[in-house]
Amino acid sequence: MLSFTEENYLKSLFQLTVETALKEEAGTNELAAHLGVKPATANDMLKKLKEKKLIKYEKYGKSSLTKEGKKIAIDVIRKHRLWETFLFEKLEFSWDEVHEVAEQLEHIQSKKLIDKLDKLLNYPVSDPHGDPIPNAKGEMMILHQQTLAEESVGHQCKMTGVKDNSSAFLKYVDQLGLAINKTIKVLARHEYDDLIEIEVNGKRISVSPKFAENIFIFCTACKKKTNR
Amino acid sequence: MLSFTEENYLKSLFQLTVETALKEEAGTNELAAHLGVKPATANDMLKKLKEKKLIKYEKYGKSSLTKEGKKIAIDVIRKHRLWETFLFEKLEFSWDEVHEVAEQLEHIQSKKLIDKLDKLLNYPVSDPHGDPIPNAKGEMMILHQQTLAEESVGHQCKMTGVKDNSSAFLKYVDQLGLAINKTIKVLARHEYDDLIEIEVNGKRISVSPKFAENIFIFCTACKKKTNR
DNA sequence: TTAATTTGTTAGATAAGCCTAACAATTATA
DNA sequence: TATAATTGTTAGGCTTATCTAACAAATTAA
Ligand SMILES: [Mn+2]
Ligand SMILES: [Mn+2]
Ligand SMILES: [Mn+2]
Ligand SMILES: [Mn+2]
């Protein structure tokens, strides 16, 4: 049985590597920053997790998950996202409130609990932020997601999720009338200040590049397919 | 913010004193045994909780909860029992499976979560074992419960709950066809081996005194009223 | 290719929660 | 009431997870 802390390290490592699929491995400092601890602390844990054969790690090298470590990370993520969905669907939480509580709930140990929760929610495939929920076998969609920042002028797309899960960002998204499944049309990019002008709900609004980078979209015109 | 461990100590102290209402205070060894730790460990924690003004404790004396400590204990118990009810009512858990998982869930910190859960369950007043659930204000029924062991021969009563919450006992209760709200008639007490003969579901069965002591009942004939 | 910067490691502390072993106080019993 | 049994405390250790400060390796830039 792993501690909450060990589970959190595996989850972080997963998110920094496999999930984004851009990298195979993550550095000690990077992992420490992601978890909000000092590098020295992360270093100790990396040695411990290596000992337990949950990660691959060599002194002065980058770290990555072993098969077993990945399995555990996916299980924690499955629990996290199912709980977020439960809070959102059944307990009237808003999408900016669910993450904090799910951080606690994801560590509850009970296979039956999570499988019944999955059933109660009717086997959802994505959480309130559009992130994929692994199934009971640990299989999950990994989408090569495109962000609004990358979308071409003139194209129309659908919002599929958010990259930033912070409450502040999510509330801002709400305020602008954006939400998952909304149709967005990119009207213009202004060279002068880099703002992106879009149309949502029949209204024109301008968003910053920072904002746009955190909105995941699917563009039918672009025909980028999901893989794996 | 208290740790899981601190919360568990307050809950145990509550269960050993206020809840049974037979005692005002509990000893160090007793508390240690209830929590499954050594007396030396409990002793350290008692000093810490006294420091935090959550309990009254003097060297070589018994311990009791302060008003603040009691409030926290009741909150943990409220969470525990609401979660048990949720697992039982919404997730198809049997009454002998809920306790273990609720031991984990009772430490989740989110006022909104527990209030919404309460609402989802339609503000239940008792858990799957018949134990009272404190409301959002911390008010709860404290019943002077009578056990089947105390019931007079010839009397008819209704099962209201169980004292022992262990999975083994609960499964045994199930097996015998007993359950909360079942009508039980005490047919005889056999001096020879102390067995108590009862009628349930139109069938005669015999139970041991140990068994009978763990079944709470309400006897209309006896007219013992609930108080507080 | 040396120097500066970044990245990662080690040593030594601390706090929480647990333990055992030794001892002290209290309570029960002869 | 003296002694035995029970109950409670202390001292000292261990483990986990964290930190700071000092240092070492690797990478980047001059
Ligand atoms: Mn989340
Ligand atoms: Mn977590
Ligand atoms: Mn319980
Ligand atoms: Mn507990």
Side-chain angles (χ1 to χ4, degrees):
Chain A
M1 191 96 314
L2 298 184
S3 67
F4 285 23
T5 307
E6 289 169 319
E7 287 192 345
N8 285 338
Y9 274 84
L10 295 177
K11 187 177 73 150
S12 270
L13 193 48
F14 183 89
Q15 288 172 340
L16 290 172
T17 59
V18 187
E19 188 151 61
T20 60
L22 299 170
K23 291 186 301 174
E24 281 289 298
E25 34 181 36
T28 305
N29 287 3
E30 189 187 2
L31 185 62
H34 195 254
L35 283 157
V37 298
K38 300 290 161 178
T41 306
N43 187 262
D44 283 347
M45 185 57 87
L46 289 175
K47 289 189 225 163
K48 198 190 356 169
L49 292 174
K50 183 205 167 134
E51 208 49 48
K52 294 193 176 185
K53 302 218 161 86
L54 298 171
I55 66 166
K56 282 165 232 152
Y57 162 76
E58 293 304 332
K59 206 162 146 178
Y60 290 108
K62 310 261 176 202
S63 308
S64 61
L65 292 166
T66 60
K67 201 165 182 181
E68 177 61 12
K70 186 176 164 187
K71 207 184 105 203
I72 295 168
I74 288 176
D75 189 54
V76 176
I77 286 169
R78 168 169 159 81
K79 290 192 277 180
H80 183 100
R81 293 182 183 163
L82 279 175
W83 279 116
E84 285 191 344
T85 306
F86 170 72
L87 295 173
F88 186 77
E89 298 288 338
K90 303 290 181 185
L91 298 189
E92 308 174 63
F93 275 61
S94 56
W95 74 337
D96 60 288
E97 295 172 319
V98 298
H99 182 79
E100 189 192 336
V101 184
E103 274 302 306
Q104 301 177 59
L105 288 163
E106 74 189 5
H107 303 292
I108 303 293
Q109 307 279 274
S110 168
K111 175 134 180 43
K112 180 164 187 170
L113 170 59
I114 211 66
D115 290 344
K116 290 290 186 179
L117 198 63
D118 198 10
K119 183 182 176 189
L120 179 76
L121 299 169
N122 217 245
Y123 309 103
V125 297
S126 61
D127 76 11
H129 311 110
D131 295 318
I133 300 178
N135 67 17
K137 287 178 197 148
E139 299 160 344
M140 74 192 284
M141 297 274 138
I142 298 214
L143 312 177
H144 259 181
Q145 301 226 60
Q146 200 183 350
T147 69
L148 179 57
E150 295 149 19
E151 182 59 303
S152 315
V153 174
H155 278 200
Q156 189 164 290
C157 58
K158 227 182 193 180
M159 176 165 160
T160 56
V162 288
K163 190 182 276 179
D164 181 353
N165 277 17
S166 73
S167 184
F169 177 68
L170 298 174
K171 280 181 181 159
Y172 190 16
V173 174
D174 279 342
Q175 253 175 46
L176 296 182
L178 277 164
I180 288 174
N181 283 324
K182 286 270 179 184
T183 296
I184 301 173
K185 187 170 181 187
V186 180
L187 302 173
R189 285 164 184 285
H190 300 286
E191 292 295 325
Y192 181 70
D193 55 8
D194 292 326
L195 291 197
I196 302 161
E197 205 174 330
I198 60 176
E199 185 182 305
V200 189
N201 303 316
K203 285 188 309 192
R204 300 170 81 94
I205 57 174
S206 289
V207 299
S208 66
K210 182 182 172 189
F211 183 96
E213 274 160 24
N214 284 296
I215 300 287
F216 285 129
I217 54 144
F218 176 74
C219 175
T220 18
C222 294
K223 284 263 159 64
K224 271 209 181 163
K225 287 280 187 267
T226 63
N227 53 345
R228 273 198 69 200
Chain B
M1 193 93 314
L2 298 184
S3 68
F4 286 21
T5 308
E6 290 168 316
E7 287 192 346
N8 284 338
Y9 274 83
L10 295 177
K11 188 177 72 148
S12 270
L13 193 47
F14 183 89
Q15 288 172 339
L16 290 172
T17 59
V18 187
E19 189 150 62
T20 60
L22 299 171
K23 292 186 300 174
E24 281 289 298
E25 34 182 37
T28 305
N29 287 5
E30 190 187 359
L31 186 61
H34 195 254
L35 283 157
V37 297
K38 298 291 162 179
T41 306
N43 187 263
D44 284 347
M45 184 57 87
L46 289 175
K47 290 189 225 163
K48 200 196 346 175
L49 293 174
K50 185 209 166 131
E51 208 49 51
K52 294 194 176 184
K53 301 217 162 82
L54 298 172
I55 66 167
K56 280 166 235 152
Y57 162 76
E58 294 304 332
K59 206 161 142 177
Y60 290 109
K62 309 260 176 204
S63 307
S64 61
L65 292 165
T66 60
K67 201 166 181 180
E68 178 61 12
K70 187 176 162 187
K71 208 184 104 201
I72 295 167
I74 288 176
D75 189 53
V76 175
I77 286 168
R78 169 170 158 79
K79 290 192 278 181
H80 183 100
R81 295 185 180 161
L82 280 174
W83 279 116
E84 285 191 343
T85 306
F86 170 73
L87 296 173
F88 186 77
E89 298 287 337
K90 303 290 181 185
L91 299 189
E92 308 171 62
F93 274 62
S94 55
W95 73 336
D96 60 287
E97 295 172 318
V98 299
H99 181 79
E100 189 193 336
V101 184
E103 274 302 305
Q104 300 177 60
L105 288 162
E106 74 188 4
H107 303 292
I108 303 292
Q109 308 279 267
S110 168
K111 176 139 180 38
K112 180 164 186 167
L113 170 59
I114 211 66
D115 290 343
K116 290 290 187 180
L117 198 62
D118 199 9
K119 183 182 176 189
L120 180 75
L121 299 170
N122 216 245
Y123 309 103
V125 297
S126 62
D127 76 12
H129 311 110
D131 295 318
I133 300 177
N135 68 17
K137 287 176 194 148
E139 299 159 345
M140 74 191 286
M141 296 274 140
I142 299 216
L143 312 177
H144 257 182
Q145 302 223 63
Q146 202 184 347
T147 70
L148 179 58
E150 295 147 18
E151 183 59 302
S152 316
V153 172
H155 279 199
Q156 189 164 290
C157 58
K158 226 182 195 181
M159 176 166 160
T160 56
V162 288
K163 192 184 272 178
D164 181 354
N165 278 17
S166 73
S167 184
F169 177 68
L170 298 173
K171 279 180 181 159
Y172 192 15
V173 174
D174 279 343
Q175 254 175 44
L176 295 183
L178 277 164
I180 288 175
N181 284 323
K182 286 270 180 185
T183 296
I184 301 173
K185 188 170 179 187
V186 179
L187 301 173
R189 281 162 188 287
H190 300 286
E191 291 297 323
Y192 180 69
D193 56 7
D194 292 328
L195 292 197
I196 301 162
E197 206 176 330
I198 60 176
E199 186 184 308
V200 188
N201 303 317
K203 286 187 307 192
R204 300 168 82 93
I205 56 174
S206 290
V207 299
S208 67
K210 183 181 172 191
F211 183 95
E213 274 159 26
N214 284 296
I215 300 287
F216 286 129
I217 54 142
F218 177 73
C219 175
T220 20
C222 294
K223 282 266 159 57
K224 273 210 180 162
K225 287 282 188 267
T226 63
N227 54 347
R228 274 195 69 202

